[in-house]
Amino acid sequence: MFEELIKAKAMFWVLVLLNFIVLNDGITSEGASRPHVVNVGAIFSLSTIHGQVANIAMKAAEDDVNSDPSFLGGSKLRITAYDAKRNGFLTIMGALQFMETDAVAIIGPQTSIMAHVLSHLANELSVPMLSFTALDPSLSALQFPFFVQTAPSDLFLMRAIAEMITYYGWSDVVALYNDDDNSRNGVTSLGDELEGRRCKISYKAVLPLDVVITSPREIRDELIKIQGMESRVIIVNTFPRTGTMIFKEARKLGMMEKGYVWIATTWLTSLLDSVNPLPPKTAESLRGVLTLRIHTQESRKKRDFVARWNKLSNGTVGLNVYGLYAYDTVWIIARAVKRLLESGANISFSTDSKLTSLKGGSLNLGALSIFDQGQQFLDYIVKTNMPGVTGPVQFLPDRSMFRPAYDIINVAGGGFRQIGYWSNHSGLSVIPPESLYSKPSNRSSSNQHLKNVVWPGGTSETPRGWVFPNNGRRLRIGVPNRASFKDFVSSVNGSNRVEGYCIDVFEAAIKLLSYPVPHEFVLFGDGLKNPNFNELVNNVSTGMFDAVVGDIAIVTKRTRIVDFTQPYIESGLVVVAPVTKLNDTPWAFLRPFTPPMWAVTAAFFLIVGSVIWILEHRINDEFRGPPRRQIVTILWFSFSTMFFSHRENTVSTLGRLVLLIWLFVVLIITSSYTASLTSILTVQQLNSPIKGVDTLISSSGRVGFQVGSYAENYMIDELNIARSRLVPLGSPKEYATALQNGTVSAIVDERPYVDLFLSEFCGFAIRGQEFTRSGWGFAFPRDSPLAVDMSTAILGLSETGQLQKIHDKWLSKSNCSNLNGSQSDDDPEQLKLRSFWGLFLVCGIACFISLVIYFFNIVRDFCNHHKAEEEEEEATVPSPEARAPSRSKTLQTFLAYFDEKEDESNRRLKRKRNDDTSVNSSRPV
């Protein structure tokens, strides 16, 4: 409000001053394309540090431009400085004077509040205004096209501060600033930058205008408010005069001690650079402060200008970065004038028809003239590309400066030292940004670095950045007033005192913190039924509670409104249903194999035994004899293979091959069988028609859930279970009753509740696996630093084993160890035929190949033997009809040959051959 009043008064005085301007018609420079003098105005408060430094630097730049007559083709650049004396009225009057004396540009004004006012005049009269101190981010080139910022906008300054805050892990800051455009809009930009990094400005402490503050009383009042707040990170966006007062008062209040973080904007580096040394008390009050300075690239130009400064200033004031930008701003104008003159354009001014057409009063508005080449001149300015004392001078398409960067300074030890840099290209670094511009931008957290800092109080340990508010209020911790499962959290005898597993975990974590946390527990709910946990968590976001402690599941919906700690117990939804034990049967040994597996295995025993019999019948006495004996031999031989691997030594080569393959198959099958049977006999197997959540979804039975649990909404929204199937239950006893009498076929609840239920009630078990993964945590407001510290404490409890001890104290009890101790959630996985068909296939192929080889050999031998018999028969039976063979006789002969032992067949054939030989030898020749 105060600033808006100033703006209104400023515009009023613009009109009043026009009433007193009594001059001839607007001066128009016509005819001469090369004016002897090109006028440039400058508006600064010459008593301020910025005004003193800028005035000296601009005069030096003017002299350097005019030292070479050929630069402007014989024209001279004349800069006229006007002392505004920190007065808005005088600032406006100075601008009007320059605009009536045909100035081609105005350097200034010094403050953003005046820039907002005078930019309207600049737009109307086409006179560019260039400022390196009015860096308000809201001075947009779209709204004020003739206003040009020749130093980086404070938007980048606030971005740098936001990245510093993120780098050090802080989340809440306090902004302390003057109620003017530049300070206020800078803080607004800081808030926007922090919001994108999940940080925030928790409090804005607004001070009167820098020129209005006459005593530290207003400052002290705001500092006392800040002292009682949670955040200890304070951003000071002000001016040197107000800033020094702030830190003197902060020191008196003990706010420059350990635990505080102070970040000052560029006003402090201007003070440090220009007033050296500082008064001892001022220097003492600034120890540990972080501040920033606009980064200027090292170059010969810069070094030469710095070397000249003492001579230029006569030692009255030190050079700060704004002196460098003042020098470059004059050269920006000079180069634009040079290009304008070289283009052949005249520097001319004409009256504004909008002003001359106004009637009434004695206002001589014709005194204000339009710069006819103003737009062309502005284009040359924004297209500047030159080496300056600040580094490369260039404007981007949005009129922001090329490659904005800042030095990060730490005030310590009676002086200051640089701890790093920030650039819009690469973020925070300990090396100059010029060496990073040639590399791709890398803004990852692992690539952000700053040197060590000496913080307020002389400590090198990074402050936590927050404390509990010093207002005497204890944290209000919401606790669910449960009607069931009171081992987790419950009221003690109906009082406000609470106990339980969750409470013990919270209190143990609090004790690990390095600072006290005064708190009180507040019960939520009537205790007759379990409260709605979503409402309980929502009360944290609304401010009713400072935190919530209890069996609070961390689910997506809740994480959108609060921050949770690290889970202190794992949780997830499971299905519990009535079960019966499967182990109590004399036929349990049959369960490892499915019926098809048993059938195929038995069949292959017979097949392998039959193949061995075929292969060994003619050569092995063990496989001969009466049919009954041979059948017994087949069975005994095939089954005994499992136990007597030496059996293969008594058979032929083909038989040995088949036996070895079969032995390999048998070994694999028996080892799998043994493992499965061991599991069945040692782990209790429970049977239920409900196998898991999939069975539950596909069935039509009713499902129970705990009152107040998120399981209800999850089953409706995620599992698409009809609401009509759901039955609310309030206690473990109701669980057991509903499951036993068939009111529900199963219950869906979180694992910790179910484990506690199963420890007390027998005949039930968890079916399937957890179908959600989550945990329980403590809920805090969004971006609460206490949530982070509590998470670290919970991890400490877990690592030391204390968390498990608390769990055992409250939750490790069981009345159903015989059923719920060691058990399987599902029926055992039986060994199925499809898992072994490859082995059976290999064994079958081996049997088939062996039989083929065997039958090939026996048919060959039979043919040779039969041929010999036929020859003998031809010799003894002369009639051809008698010798005609029949198929049935041949088959009978083959079967007889197959059944005959091989040794007997060979002896008979040999004997016949010997008889034939003796007969032939006894015949007469």
Side-chain angles (χ1 to χ4, degrees):
M1 292 295 293
F2 183 74
E3 184 180 346
E4 296 300 324
L5 181 61
I6 289 180
K7 288 184 179 179
K9 289 182 177 179
M11 295 307 296
F12 169 76
W13 280 110
V14 170
L15 298 177
V16 171
L17 286 170
L18 291 175
N19 192 38
F20 291 97
I21 297 175
V22 182
L23 292 171
N24 295 327
D25 289 340
I27 299 173
T28 304
S29 301
E30 297 178 353
S33 60
R34 290 283 179 175
H36 294 297
V37 176
V38 178
N39 292 318
V40 176
I43 306 174
F44 284 89
S45 298
L46 300 181
S47 63
T48 63
I49 292 175
H50 289 168
Q52 295 177 48
V53 172
N55 189 41
I56 297 170
M58 290 187 295
K59 287 298 182 184
E62 178 188 2
D63 294 342
D64 291 346
V65 171
N66 293 331
S67 65
D68 182 5
S70 64
F71 184 76
L72 295 178
S75 298
K76 292 287 186 180
L77 187 69
R78 182 168 66 191
I79 298 177
T80 304
Y82 179 87
D83 187 3
K85 298 180 180 179
R86 306 190 73 196
N87 186 288
F89 170 74
L90 294 179
T91 301
I92 296 172
M93 187 171 71
L96 291 173
Q97 288 183 0
F98 289 133
M99 290 178 179
E100 73 181 45
T101 57
D102 297 345
V104 297
I106 295 176
I107 302 175
Q110 188 170 335
T111 63
S112 294
I113 185 173
M114 286 294 102
H116 278 278
V117 173
L118 297 181
S119 291
H120 293 286
L121 293 175
N123 290 350
E124 180 63 29
L125 301 177
S126 301
V127 178
M129 299 181 70
L130 294 83
S131 180
F132 46 85
T133 55
L135 303 177
D136 178 0
S138 69
L139 286 167
S140 165
L142 295 175
Q143 184 179 6
F144 305 113
F146 278 85
F147 181 81
V148 180
Q149 293 175 333
T150 57
S153 166
D154 280 352
L155 170 67
F156 301 105
L157 172 64
M158 298 305 163
R159 186 172 297 168
I161 293 175
E163 292 197 17
M164 291 170 61
I165 291 168
T166 304
Y167 173 78
Y168 288 113
W170 304 315
S171 58
D172 285 8
V173 303
V174 171
L176 183 59
Y177 60 97
N178 295 107
D179 192 17
D180 67 87
D181 279 1
N182 192 75
S183 299
R184 185 192 320 106
N185 293 332
V187 169
T188 300
S189 296
L190 175 62
D192 294 340
E193 293 291 336
L194 290 174
E195 185 177 357
R197 295 166 174 79
R198 286 201 65 182
C199 303
K200 65 180 180 180
I201 299 175
S202 57
Y203 179 71
K204 295 181 179 180
V206 184
L207 299 174
L209 292 176
D210 183 65
V211 296
V212 174
I213 295 178
T214 57
S215 73
R217 183 177 55 83
E218 296 97 336
I219 295 174
R220 187 178 180 87
D221 290 344
E222 285 297 332
L223 289 177
I224 291 174
K225 291 180 184 177
I226 294 172
Q227 197 173 27
M229 293 179 181
E230 180 177 292
S231 178
R232 283 293 183 263
V233 182
I234 306 166
I235 313 299
V236 183
N237 189 31
T238 181
F239 300 91
R241 179 174 172 272
T242 302
T244 53
M245 294 173 66
I246 288 173
F247 283 106
K248 286 180 181 178
E249 292 303 311
R251 185 168 181 264
K252 292 177 182 178
L253 293 171
M255 297 176 69
M256 299 304 298
E257 301 300 325
K258 182 179 179 181
Y260 282 90
V261 176
W262 292 86
I263 301 178
T265 52
T266 52
W267 65 267
L268 181 52
T269 48
S270 299
L271 180 66
L272 295 172
D273 291 335
S274 297
V275 183
N276 193 7
L278 290 172
K281 290 186 177 180
T282 302
E284 183 67 25
S285 65
L286 293 172
R287 286 184 179 176
V289 176
L290 292 180
T291 183
L292 298 95
R293 177 202 294 130
I294 301 176
H295 176 73
T296 54
Q297 184 175 333
E298 291 297 324
S299 65
R300 183 174 181 179
K301 258 181 186 293
K302 178 182 175 181
R303 288 191 295 271
D304 291 344
F305 186 72
V306 172
R308 294 168 55 194
W309 184 257
N310 282 336
K311 183 178 180 180
L312 294 171
S313 65
N314 294 320
T316 57
V317 65
L319 174 64
N320 62 40
V321 70
Y322 294 103
L324 300 177
Y325 277 100
Y327 184 87
D328 279 351
T329 299
V330 174
W331 274 101
I332 291 172
I333 294 173
R335 286 176 176 271
V337 170
K338 175 181 174 66
R339 293 185 64 184
L340 182 65
L341 296 176
E342 290 177 348
S343 71
N346 295 332
I347 295 181
S348 60
F349 296 82
S350 59
T351 57
D352 189 344
S353 59
K354 296 179 182 177
L355 297 178
T356 56
S357 63
L358 295 176
K359 304 294 183 180
S362 58
L363 294 177
N364 187 7
L365 301 178
L368 299 180
S369 54
I370 296 176
F371 182 17
D372 296 331
Q373 291 78 35
Q375 183 61 56
Q376 184 181 359
F377 186 55
L378 176 65
D379 292 341
Y380 289 142
I381 288 174
V382 298
K383 290 179 181 177
T384 298
N385 189 352
M386 70 175 194
V389 294
T390 60
V393 179
Q394 185 179 344
F395 295 94
L396 298 177
D398 63 354
R399 300 259 289 270
S400 62
M401 294 300 293
F402 181 61
R403 290 178 175 173
Y406 293 85
D407 302 333
I408 302 176
I409 308 296
N410 181 208
V411 183
F416 58 89
R417 65 188 185 93
Q418 188 164 335
I419 63 168
Y421 305 86
W422 177 90
S423 72
N424 200 41
H425 174 75
S426 55
L428 302 172
S429 67
V430 294
I431 58 178
E434 293 80 27
S435 60
L436 299 173
Y437 289 138
S438 60
K439 302 176 182 178
S441 177
N442 185 351
R443 305 301 287 272
S444 63
S445 58
S446 62
N447 200 51
Q448 306 298 294
H449 303 286
L450 290 175
K451 296 179 182 177
N452 293 333
V453 177
V454 177
W455 303 99
T459 179
S460 59
E461 181 182 354
T462 302
R464 188 171 65 246
W466 67 277
V467 295
F468 284 99
N470 187 20
N471 53 18
R473 188 177 71 85
R474 302 163 69 88
L475 291 183
R476 287 173 51 85
I477 309 295
V479 176
N481 192 7
R482 296 194 59 89
S484 61
F485 294 106
K486 293 189 175 184
D487 295 88
F488 294 107
V489 58
S490 64
S491 170
V492 179
N493 298 325
S495 67
N496 290 328
R497 196 162 64 88
V498 292
E499 65 178 7
Y501 168 72
C502 304
I503 302 300
D504 281 6
V505 172
F506 178 78
E507 294 289 5
I510 286 290
K511 291 178 182 178
L512 293 183
L513 300 182
S514 59
Y515 48 88
V517 182
H519 61 276
E520 61 180 350
F521 294 112
V522 181
L523 291 169
F524 179 79
D526 56 13
L528 301 178
K529 63 178 181 179
N530 294 332
N532 187 299
F533 281 61
N534 288 332
E535 293 181 8
L536 176 58
V537 172
N538 189 61
N539 285 334
V540 175
S541 64
T542 60
M544 178 177 177
F545 295 130
D546 297 305
V548 166
V549 171
D551 43 337
I552 312 298
I554 303 173
V555 295
T556 304
K557 181 179 179 180
R558 296 170 184 170
T559 58
R560 296 192 181 106
I561 58 175
V562 296
D563 280 352
F564 281 96
T565 61
Q566 170 83 13
Y568 58 87
I569 187 173
E570 292 185 357
S571 178
L573 294 178
V574 294
V575 178
V576 62
V579 293
T580 56
K581 291 186 288 185
L582 293 177
N583 294 16
D584 298 338
T585 170
W587 304 104
F589 70 92
L590 294 176
R591 292 177 55 204
F593 284 175
T594 60
M597 183 67 181
W598 278 117
V600 172
T601 302
F604 258 83
F605 272 107
L606 297 177
I607 291 171
V608 170
S610 300
V611 170
I612 297 298
W613 179 85
I614 292 173
L615 297 177
E616 301 298 321
H617 176 67
R618 300 188 70 244
I619 61 176
N620 195 325
D621 290 336
E622 292 188 28
F623 292 87
R624 301 187 64 81
R628 181 176 179 181
R629 179 190 172 192
Q630 294 187 45
I631 292 173
V632 172
T633 300
I634 291 173
L635 295 176
W636 169 248
F637 200 91
S638 60
F639 282 97
S640 64
T641 302
M642 295 187 297
F643 311 104
F644 303 102
S645 59
H646 66 274
R647 281 288 186 180
E648 71 270 11
N649 295 326
T650 64
V651 298
S652 64
T653 301
L654 287 178
R656 188 179 301 115
L657 174 63
V658 172
L659 284 176
L660 286 174
I661 294 175
W662 177 238
L663 179 62
F664 173 72
V665 173
V666 169
L667 287 175
I668 293 178
I669 293 175
T670 52
S671 62
S672 301
Y673 173 87
T674 303
S676 179
L677 182 60
T678 302
S679 174
I680 291 173
L681 296 178
T682 57
V683 179
Q684 294 193 43
Q685 304 297 335
L686 307 177
N687 185 38
S688 170
I690 303 296
K691 306 299 182 183
V693 66
D694 294 334
T695 309
L696 198 65
I697 294 173
S698 60
S699 70
S700 59
R702 306 186 76 185
V703 183
F705 67 92
Q706 185 183 168
V707 174
S709 171
Y710 77 95
E712 177 186 12
N713 290 333
Y714 185 89
M715 286 190 285
I716 295 172
D717 299 336
E718 303 297 332
L719 303 183
N720 296 319
I721 295 177
R723 187 183 297 272
S724 58
R725 290 179 57 193
L726 303 183
V727 179
L729 302 171
S731 66
K733 186 175 181 180
E734 290 185 24
Y735 282 18
T737 302
L739 290 171
Q740 288 170 346
N741 61 23
T743 302
V744 296
S745 59
I747 291 173
V748 172
D749 205 350
E750 295 175 69
R751 184 65 184 253
Y753 299 124
V754 171
D755 287 342
L756 199 59
F757 165 71
L758 294 179
S759 69
E760 184 177 356
F761 295 92
C762 308
F764 313 101
I766 295 172
R767 309 303 295 158
Q769 304 297 320
E770 292 183 20
F771 54 91
T772 65
R773 294 287 183 183
S774 63
W776 291 355
F778 306 131
F780 291 88
R782 294 277 288 180
D783 303 318
S784 170
L786 185 55
V788 178
D789 288 354
M790 286 293 287
S791 293
T792 305
I794 290 170
L795 288 175
L797 292 175
S798 178
E799 292 171 356
T800 59
Q802 192 172 354
L803 194 61
Q804 184 61 44
K805 291 179 181 178
I806 298 173
H807 179 278
D808 294 343
K809 171 186 174 182
W810 288 97
L811 307 180
S812 291
K813 53 185 178 181
S814 178
N815 297 326
C816 303
S817 57
N818 61 324
L819 180 61
N820 297 318
S822 176
Q823 61 189 43
S824 172
D825 293 336
D826 287 309
D827 288 340
E829 183 67 27
Q830 291 182 302
L831 301 177
K832 298 180 175 61
L833 178 61
R834 62 172 177 267
S835 301
F836 299 93
W837 71 268
L839 291 174
F840 287 121
L841 179 63
V842 170
C843 185
I845 292 174
C847 292
F848 177 76
I849 293 175
S850 299
L851 290 176
V852 169
I853 295 173
Y854 174 77
F855 278 110
F856 174 79
N857 290 333
I858 197 172
V859 169
R860 183 193 60 187
D861 294 344
F862 172 74
C863 291
N864 292 335
H865 182 80
H866 189 60
K867 182 178 180 181
E869 289 185 346
E870 285 182 345
E871 290 176 353
E872 179 182 357
E873 188 173 347
E874 287 178 0
T876 57
V877 182
S879 172
E881 291 78 6
R883 295 197 308 266
S886 66
R887 292 183 179 179
S888 58
K889 184 178 179 181
T890 302
L891 179 60
Q892 291 176 359
T893 304
F894 174 76
L895 293 177
Y897 179 79
F898 176 79
D899 185 59
E900 187 179 27
K901 190 175 181 180
E902 184 177 4
D903 292 344
E904 294 179 0
S905 299
N906 291 337
R907 284 196 300 269
R908 184 162 51 84
L909 180 60
K910 184 176 181 181
R911 186 171 56 251
K912 288 182 178 180
R913 288 178 177 175
N914 291 336
D915 293 343
D916 292 343
T917 301
S918 59
V919 171
N920 291 334
S921 61
S922 62
R923 288 179 181 175
V925 179

